[in-house]
């Protein structure tokens, strides 16, 4: 919820490439935004979610992120780096990743009291990430 798709940097280098791949060509996906923008987005999301949903893990998670952002300098940058996860996703999956847009859509729909459609958008995000998340328990 802190990022916009336009803030993404995607390099589709070789999957599981070794140290012989030049740094500029290494597979990566990251998002970068300003601290001010991240804080605004977190505050807006928290406001929308508090009005639309009962207190629970979603509200608590957004609150935790918003508090965490307050610990950093206001002129800092916020970065979300997929790290090694980029090797678990195909080029097509990374290119087609709409997570940020779907979260923003879910928030807009919640803001307009369309909880069913908001839930569908959020479920699409969860469905995208579920196969990646399953790797946590495989190891």
């Amino acid at each position: 919820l802190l990022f916009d798709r336009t803030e993404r940097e995607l390099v589709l280098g070789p999957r599981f490439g070794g140290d012989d791949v030049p740094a500029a060509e290494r597979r990566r996906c990251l998002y970068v935004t300003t601290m001010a923008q991240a804080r605004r987005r977190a505050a807006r999301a928290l406001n929308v979610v508090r009005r639309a949903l009962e207190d629970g893990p979603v509200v608590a998670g957004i609150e935790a992120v918003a508090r965490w952002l307050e610990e950093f300098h206001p002129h800092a940058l916020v970065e979300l780096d997929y790290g090694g996860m980029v090797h678990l996703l195909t080029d097509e999956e990374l290119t087609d990743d709409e997570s940020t847009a779907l979260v923003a859509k879910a928030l807009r729909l919640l803001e307009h009291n369309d909880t069913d459609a908001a839930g569908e958008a959020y479920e699409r995000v969860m469905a995208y990430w579920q196969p990646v998340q399953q790797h946590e328990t495989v190891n």
Side-chain angles (χ1 to χ4, degrees):
L1 62 91
L2 303 180
F3 302 94
D4 183 85
R5 184 176 173 100
T6 62
E7 297 165 333
R8 178 173 77 164
E9 177 187 335
L10 176 62
V11 176
L12 298 173
R15 288 177 78 183
F16 305 105
D19 292 335
D20 57 327
V21 178
E25 297 173 20
R26 288 194 186 126
R27 186 178 191 83
R28 67 183 172 278
C29 181
L30 58 95
Y31 291 82
V32 180
T33 194
T34 64
M35 183 60 68
Q37 186 67 277
R39 287 177 179 170
R40 274 192 295 276
R41 289 175 179 152
R44 177 182 170 268
L46 187 55
N47 186 34
V48 168
V49 171
R50 276 185 177 151
R51 283 186 283 127
L53 304 175
E54 296 177 12
D55 279 346
V58 174
V59 173
I62 296 171
E63 285 175 337
V65 168
R67 277 194 308 274
W68 176 72
L69 291 174
E70 293 300 323
E71 296 179 18
F72 298 94
H73 192 278
H75 298 292
L77 294 176
V78 181
E79 180 179 301
L80 170 66
D81 188 339
Y82 280 30
M85 291 188 306
V86 294
H87 301 291
L88 302 175
L89 299 163
T90 65
D91 288 1
E92 184 177 329
E93 289 170 325
L94 285 169
T95 301
D96 294 345
D97 179 6
E98 297 180 343
S99 300
T100 55
L102 287 168
V103 169
K105 178 180 181 179
L107 285 170
R108 282 192 309 275
L109 290 164
L110 273 181
E111 199 168 29
H112 293 96
N113 298 316
D114 192 347
T115 55
D116 290 340
E120 290 172 15
Y122 188 70
E123 284 178 19
R124 286 181 57 198
V125 174
M126 298 307 291
Y128 176 84
W129 285 105
Q130 186 178 16
V132 176
Q133 192 174 26
Q134 289 173 344
H135 284 278
E136 279 184 333
T137 57
V138 171
N139 292 331

Short mmCIF file of all heavy atoms in Angstrom, two decimals, residues 2 7 33-44 69-70 72-78:
data_model
loop_
_atom_site.label_atom_id
_atom_site.label_comp_id
_atom_site.label_asym_id
_atom_site.label_seq_id
_atom_site.Cartn_x
_atom_site.Cartn_y
_atom_site.Cartn_z
N LEU A 2 2.14 1.13 0.19
CA LEU A 2 3.02 2.30 0.23
C LEU A 2 3.50 2.75 -1.14
O LEU A 2 4.05 3.84 -1.27
CB LEU A 2 4.25 2.00 1.09
CG LEU A 2 4.00 1.56 2.53
CD1 LEU A 2 5.32 1.30 3.23
CD2 LEU A 2 3.16 2.57 3.27
N GLU A 7 6.47 3.43 -9.57
CA GLU A 7 7.69 3.53 -8.76
C GLU A 7 8.49 2.23 -8.78
O GLU A 7 9.41 2.05 -8.00
CB GLU A 7 7.32 3.91 -7.32
CG GLU A 7 6.66 5.27 -7.25
CD GLU A 7 5.96 5.54 -5.93
OE1 GLU A 7 5.53 4.58 -5.25
OE2 GLU A 7 5.83 6.73 -5.59
N THR A 33 9.95 4.98 -3.11
CA THR A 33 9.14 6.18 -3.00
C THR A 33 9.72 7.06 -1.90
O THR A 33 10.59 6.63 -1.15
CB THR A 33 7.66 5.83 -2.73
OG1 THR A 33 6.86 6.99 -2.96
CG2 THR A 33 7.44 5.33 -1.32
N THR A 34 9.23 8.27 -1.81
CA THR A 34 9.69 9.17 -0.75
C THR A 34 8.99 8.81 0.55
O THR A 34 7.89 8.23 0.56
CB THR A 34 9.36 10.64 -1.08
OG1 THR A 34 7.93 10.79 -1.12
CG2 THR A 34 9.99 11.06 -2.40
N MET A 35 9.63 9.13 1.65
CA MET A 35 9.04 8.88 2.96
C MET A 35 7.71 9.63 3.09
O MET A 35 6.74 9.09 3.62
CB MET A 35 10.01 9.31 4.07
CG MET A 35 9.51 9.03 5.46
SD MET A 35 9.20 7.27 5.78
CE MET A 35 10.86 6.63 5.75
N ALA A 36 7.68 10.87 2.61
CA ALA A 36 6.45 11.65 2.69
C ALA A 36 5.31 10.96 1.96
O ALA A 36 4.19 10.86 2.48
CB ALA A 36 6.67 13.06 2.13
N GLN A 37 5.57 10.45 0.78
CA GLN A 37 4.54 9.76 0.00
C GLN A 37 4.11 8.47 0.70
O GLN A 37 2.91 8.17 0.79
CB GLN A 37 5.06 9.46 -1.40
CG GLN A 37 4.03 8.88 -2.34
CD GLN A 37 2.94 9.86 -2.68
OE1 GLN A 37 1.98 10.02 -1.92
NE2 GLN A 37 3.07 10.51 -3.82
N ALA A 38 5.06 7.72 1.21
CA ALA A 38 4.74 6.47 1.91
C ALA A 38 3.88 6.76 3.15
O ALA A 38 2.90 6.05 3.42
CB ALA A 38 6.01 5.74 2.31
N ARG A 39 4.23 7.79 3.90
CA ARG A 39 3.45 8.14 5.09
C ARG A 39 2.04 8.58 4.72
O ARG A 39 1.07 8.23 5.39
CB ARG A 39 4.17 9.23 5.88
CG ARG A 39 5.39 8.72 6.61
CD ARG A 39 6.10 9.84 7.32
NE ARG A 39 7.28 9.34 8.04
CZ ARG A 39 8.18 10.13 8.59
NH1 ARG A 39 8.07 11.46 8.51
NH2 ARG A 39 9.21 9.61 9.22
N ARG A 40 1.91 9.36 3.66
CA ARG A 40 0.57 9.79 3.21
C ARG A 40 -0.28 8.59 2.81
O ARG A 40 -1.45 8.49 3.17
CB ARG A 40 0.67 10.75 2.02
CG ARG A 40 0.86 12.20 2.41
CD ARG A 40 0.67 13.14 1.21
NE ARG A 40 1.68 12.98 0.17
CZ ARG A 40 2.87 13.55 0.17
NH1 ARG A 40 3.23 14.34 1.17
NH2 ARG A 40 3.71 13.36 -0.81
N ARG A 41 0.32 7.68 2.07
CA ARG A 41 -0.42 6.49 1.62
C ARG A 41 -0.82 5.62 2.81
O ARG A 41 -1.93 5.08 2.85
CB ARG A 41 0.42 5.71 0.62
CG ARG A 41 0.55 6.41 -0.71
CD ARG A 41 1.49 5.69 -1.64
NE ARG A 41 1.58 6.37 -2.93
CZ ARG A 41 2.65 6.33 -3.71
NH1 ARG A 41 3.72 5.62 -3.35
NH2 ARG A 41 2.66 6.98 -4.85
N ALA A 42 0.08 5.45 3.75
CA ALA A 42 -0.23 4.64 4.94
C ALA A 42 -1.35 5.29 5.75
O ALA A 42 -2.28 4.60 6.21
CB ALA A 42 1.01 4.45 5.80
N ALA A 43 -1.29 6.61 5.93
CA ALA A 43 -2.32 7.33 6.70
C ALA A 43 -3.67 7.22 6.00
O ALA A 43 -4.70 6.98 6.65
CB ALA A 43 -1.92 8.78 6.89
N ARG A 44 -3.68 7.39 4.70
CA ARG A 44 -4.94 7.29 3.94
C ARG A 44 -5.50 5.88 4.06
O ARG A 44 -6.70 5.69 4.31
CB ARG A 44 -4.71 7.64 2.48
CG ARG A 44 -5.98 7.46 1.65
CD ARG A 44 -5.75 7.75 0.17
NE ARG A 44 -6.90 7.34 -0.59
CZ ARG A 44 -7.04 6.13 -1.15
NH1 ARG A 44 -6.07 5.24 -1.05
NH2 ARG A 44 -8.13 5.80 -1.82
N LEU A 69 7.18 3.68 9.91
CA LEU A 69 7.64 4.75 9.02
C LEU A 69 8.02 6.01 9.79
O LEU A 69 8.90 6.76 9.37
CB LEU A 69 6.56 5.09 7.98
CG LEU A 69 6.28 4.03 6.92
CD1 LEU A 69 5.09 4.45 6.07
CD2 LEU A 69 7.50 3.75 6.06
N GLU A 70 7.36 6.25 10.90
CA GLU A 70 7.63 7.45 11.71
C GLU A 70 9.03 7.42 12.35
O GLU A 70 9.53 8.45 12.79
CB GLU A 70 6.57 7.62 12.80
CG GLU A 70 5.19 7.94 12.25
CD GLU A 70 5.15 9.22 11.43
OE1 GLU A 70 5.84 10.19 11.78
OE2 GLU A 70 4.41 9.25 10.42
N PHE A 72 11.79 6.95 10.85
CA PHE A 72 12.82 7.33 9.89
C PHE A 72 12.78 8.82 9.56
O PHE A 72 11.77 9.48 9.77
CB PHE A 72 12.67 6.50 8.60
CG PHE A 72 12.84 5.04 8.83
CD1 PHE A 72 11.73 4.23 9.07
CD2 PHE A 72 14.10 4.47 8.86
CE1 PHE A 72 11.88 2.87 9.31
CE2 PHE A 72 14.27 3.12 9.10
CZ PHE A 72 13.15 2.32 9.32
N HIS A 73 13.87 9.31 9.07
CA HIS A 73 13.99 10.71 8.69
C HIS A 73 12.94 11.04 7.63
O HIS A 73 12.71 10.25 6.70
CB HIS A 73 15.40 10.99 8.14
CG HIS A 73 15.70 12.44 8.00
ND1 HIS A 73 15.28 13.18 6.91
CD2 HIS A 73 16.36 13.29 8.82
CE1 HIS A 73 15.67 14.43 7.06
NE2 HIS A 73 16.33 14.53 8.21
N PRO A 74 12.30 12.20 7.72
CA PRO A 74 11.22 12.54 6.78
C PRO A 74 11.67 12.67 5.32
O PRO A 74 10.85 12.60 4.41
CB PRO A 74 10.67 13.87 7.30
CG PRO A 74 11.60 14.33 8.35
CD PRO A 74 12.46 13.20 8.77
N HIS A 75 12.97 12.85 5.09
CA HIS A 75 13.47 12.97 3.72
C HIS A 75 14.08 11.67 3.20
O HIS A 75 14.65 11.66 2.11
CB HIS A 75 14.50 14.11 3.62
CG HIS A 75 13.92 15.44 3.96
ND1 HIS A 75 12.98 16.07 3.17
CD2 HIS A 75 14.11 16.24 5.03
CE1 HIS A 75 12.63 17.21 3.73
NE2 HIS A 75 13.31 17.34 4.87
N ALA A 76 13.91 10.61 3.97
CA ALA A 76 14.44 9.30 3.54
C ALA A 76 13.61 8.75 2.39
O ALA A 76 12.53 9.24 2.08
CB ALA A 76 14.40 8.33 4.72
N LEU A 77 14.14 7.73 1.77
CA LEU A 77 13.41 6.98 0.76
C LEU A 77 12.97 5.66 1.37
O LEU A 77 13.64 5.11 2.24
CB LEU A 77 14.29 6.71 -0.46
CG LEU A 77 14.72 7.93 -1.26
CD1 LEU A 77 15.67 7.52 -2.39
CD2 LEU A 77 13.52 8.67 -1.83
N VAL A 78 11.86 5.15 0.88
CA VAL A 78 11.36 3.86 1.31
C VAL A 78 11.49 2.92 0.12
O VAL A 78 11.09 3.25 -0.99
CB VAL A 78 9.88 3.94 1.75
CG1 VAL A 78 9.37 2.58 2.22
CG2 VAL A 78 9.70 4.98 2.84
#
